C-alpha cells in the first residue's frame, strides 16, 4: 500500500498489523499507539487515549511533522505533577492544533505541554478536573 494517504482503524481489538505505516501515510486514526514504532510522515493523529509521558517520548518522537493531535482520554494514574527530564522530551515544532477530551492532569502539566508545542494556535480541552485550568491568573 505505498500510496496509502489516510488510515482509520475503528476497532482494532482483533486486528494486528505488522507495519501499516507507509511513507505516504499522513492521517491516522486508531485506538492505540502500537502502530507508531518508527518515524513517519503522519501529520494528523487521532487516538483514544494517551498519557502525557507517551506523548512526549513516543508520539512527538515518531511523528516529527505532526500538525494535528486528538485524544479522547488523557490521563495518568496518580494526580500529581510529573517531572520529566528535559533531555528526554521531544518537541512538536509543527503541531498547531490539539484537542483533548478528559484531560486528567494538573495545570503544571499543561504548561509543560505548551512549552513543547511552540507553534500551537488551537487548543481544545474538554472535561478537566483541575480548577486551575479555569484560573485566569494561572493563564
Amino acid at each position: 500500500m505505498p500510496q496509502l494517504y489516510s488510515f482509520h482503524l475503528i476497532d482494532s481489538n482483533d486486528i494486528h498489523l505488522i507495519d501499516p505505516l507507509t511513507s505516504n501515510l499522513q492521517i491516522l486514526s486508531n485506538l492505540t499507539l502500537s502502530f507508531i514504532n518508527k518515524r513517519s510522515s503522519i501529520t494528523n493523529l487521532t487516538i483514544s487515549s494517551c498519557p502525557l509521558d507517551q506523548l512526549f517520548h513516543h508520539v512527538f518522537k515518531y511523528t516529527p511533522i505532526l500538525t494535528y493531535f486528538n485524544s479522547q482520554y488523557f490521563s495518568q494514574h496518580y494526580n500529581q505533577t510529573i517531572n520529566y527530564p528535559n533531555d528526554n522530551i521531544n518537541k512538536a515544532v509543527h503541531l498547531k492544533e490539539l484537542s483533548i477530551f478528559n484531560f486528567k492532569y494538573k495545570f503544571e502539566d499543561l504548561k509543560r505541554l505548551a512549552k513543547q508545542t511552540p507553534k500551537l494556535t488551537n487548543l481544545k480541552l474538554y472535561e478537566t478536573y483541575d480548577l486551575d485550568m479555569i484560573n485566569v491568573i494561572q493563564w
Side-chain angles (χ1 to χ4, degrees):
M1 299 184 286
Q3 298 302 316
L4 185 65
Y5 172 82
S6 179
F7 184 68
H8 302 276
L9 188 56
I10 306 304
D11 184 5
S12 64
N13 292 339
D14 296 328
I15 300 172
H16 301 285
L17 299 176
I18 296 172
D19 193 8
L21 302 181
T22 66
S23 60
N24 292 324
L25 186 65
Q26 293 184 17
I27 300 171
L28 176 63
S29 297
N30 193 7
L31 294 176
T32 68
L33 291 172
S34 63
F35 298 122
I36 303 173
N37 57 11
K38 64 180 181 179
R39 286 195 178 262
S40 68
S41 59
I42 295 172
T43 59
N44 183 319
L45 178 61
T46 299
I47 57 172
S48 64
S49 67
C50 180
L52 199 53
D53 62 335
Q54 270 194 317
L55 184 66
F56 290 149
H57 300 295
H58 191 83
V59 175
F60 290 172
K61 177 180 180 180
Y62 293 121
T63 58
I65 59 172
L66 189 67
T67 59
Y68 172 83
F69 180 78
N70 180 342
S71 179
Q72 296 298 311
Y73 191 73
F74 228 68
S75 180
Q76 62 185 358
H77 293 291
Y78 304 104
N79 292 330
Q80 61 187 14
T81 302
I82 299 173
N83 295 319
Y84 303 99
N86 288 334
D87 56 345
N88 291 334
I89 295 179
N90 297 290
K91 287 190 175 191
V93 295
H94 299 284
L95 189 66
K96 294 181 180 177
E97 189 171 348
L98 180 61
S99 294
I100 301 172
F101 296 82
N102 296 312
F103 189 77
K104 305 294 184 190
Y105 286 91
K106 295 188 176 195
F107 188 77
E108 290 299 315
D109 296 311
L110 181 63
K111 284 182 7 183
R112 174 63 67 137
L113 177 59
K115 288 179 183 178
Q116 304 311 315
T117 55
K119 292 189 179 177
L120 191 65
T121 58
N122 192 346
L123 174 64
K124 296 176 185 175
L125 295 177
Y126 302 92
E127 297 185 29
T128 65
Y129 82 99
D130 189 0
L131 292 178
D132 282 341
M133 294 292 180
I134 58 172
N135 184 339
V136 175
I137 296 170
Q138 287 283 10
W139 283 91

